[in-house]
């Protein structure tokens, strides 16, 4: 016999996972576009290392 409640839960989880993956993909595509369209001398990129920031906060 088919457990409809379990199937509904699985379907809901699959939909949520798909939406999260689509959102992450959109974020990555936006970052790639920004990196590809950097105009040197007009924009600055700042890179940080989370571990380094945590050490400063602890000091």
């Amino acid at each position: 016999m088919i457990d409809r409640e379990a199937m509904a839960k699985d379907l809901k989880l699959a939909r949520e996972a798909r939406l999260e993956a689509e959102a992450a993909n959109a974020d990555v595509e936006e970052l790639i576009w920004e990196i590809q369209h950097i105009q040197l001398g007009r924009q600055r990129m700042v890179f940080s290392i989370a571990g380094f920031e945590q050490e400063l906060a602890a000091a």
Side-chain angles (χ1 to χ4, degrees):
M1 183 177 251
I2 297 174
D3 185 359
R4 294 187 186 269
E5 287 183 25
M7 286 180 59
K9 288 179 186 177
D10 289 344
L11 183 58
K12 181 181 177 187
L13 290 174
R15 285 182 181 146
E16 290 173 358
R18 180 183 50 85
L19 292 174
E20 289 176 10
E22 287 176 354
N25 184 48
D27 291 343
V28 169
E29 286 180 355
E30 182 179 344
L31 287 172
I32 290 170
W33 186 91
E34 289 177 6
I35 290 172
Q36 289 175 338
H37 293 87
I38 290 176
Q39 295 177 356
L40 297 178
R42 291 186 166 195
Q43 297 171 333
R44 296 181 185 183
M45 293 186 66
V46 177
F47 295 94
S48 66
I49 300 172
F52 181 71
E53 291 173 356
Q54 290 173 357
E55 289 176 8
L56 290 177

